[in-house]
Amino acid sequence: QVQLVESGGGLVQAGGSLRLSCAASGRTFSSYAMGWFRQAPGKEREFVGYINRSGGTTYYADSVKGRFTISRDNAKNTVYLQMNSLKPEDTAVYYCAADRDSIFGWSPRKYDYWGQGTQVTVSS
C-alpha cells in the first residue's frame, strides 16, 4: 500500500506557473506508475498526465501538452507536476494517483491509490 500527499497548489494569475509535488510513503514507490488528474466543480475527474515507473515515459492530455511536465524522483518518493502558462480553465483540484500496473491507462478507475488533492486556482 502507498499513501500520497499532494502539495504546492495555490492562486496564480493567468500565464503564471506552479509546481505540484506528490510525496509517497513506503519503500515501493518505484514499483508504481503515477498519474495526475484534476477535477473542476461540477465536472468529472479528468486525466492530466502519466509517468511510468522509471520516469522514462510520459503521456499528457492534449489540453496541457506543451505546458505541463511530469517528473519523478524515486530516491525521494516524489512525483512532480510543473505547470507553466496556466489558464483559468486549469482551475481545479489536482490529484496524484498510483497504479500498480505497468500498462498506461488514462481512466481514473485504473489507479489504485489517491492523494487528497490540492487546489489550483488561476485568475484571469
Side-chain angles (χ1 to χ4, degrees):
Q1 189 170 353
V2 62
Q3 292 166 337
L4 305 172
V5 179
E6 302 96 336
S7 61
L11 174 64
V12 63
Q13 289 188 333
S17 298
L18 282 174
R19 187 176 83 153
L20 306 184
S21 299
C22 172
S25 66
R27 290 175 285 182
T28 60
F29 175 70
S30 60
S31 65
Y32 293 90
M34 299 297 296
W36 282 98
F37 292 80
R38 66 187 181 186
Q39 188 165 17
K43 295 188 176 181
E44 293 187 352
R45 191 166 298 189
E46 66 172 0
F47 171 76
V48 173
Y50 164 94
I51 189 165
N52 73 342
R53 295 167 177 172
S54 68
T57 299
T58 55
Y59 297 108
Y60 299 95
D62 288 343
S63 58
V64 307
K65 200 173 296 183
R67 300 188 298 123
F68 290 12
T69 303
I70 296 176
S71 61
R72 67 188 295 163
D73 186 337
N74 286 342
K76 295 183 178 180
N77 283 9
T78 303
V79 62
Y80 305 97
L81 181 66
Q82 177 67 44
M83 306 185 294
N84 298 329
S85 302
L86 282 160
K87 305 175 181 180
E89 52 263 43
D90 294 318
T91 295
V93 177
Y94 282 71
Y95 299 89
C96 66
D99 183 4
R100 291 174 294 191
D101 191 0
S102 62
I103 299 174
F104 164 67
W106 55 265
S107 171
R109 292 189 297 273
K110 192 176 185 301
Y111 291 76
D112 304 294
Y113 304 104
W114 291 83
Q116 83 290 347
T118 186
Q119 176 71 47
V120 171
T121 303
V122 184
S123 63
S124 57

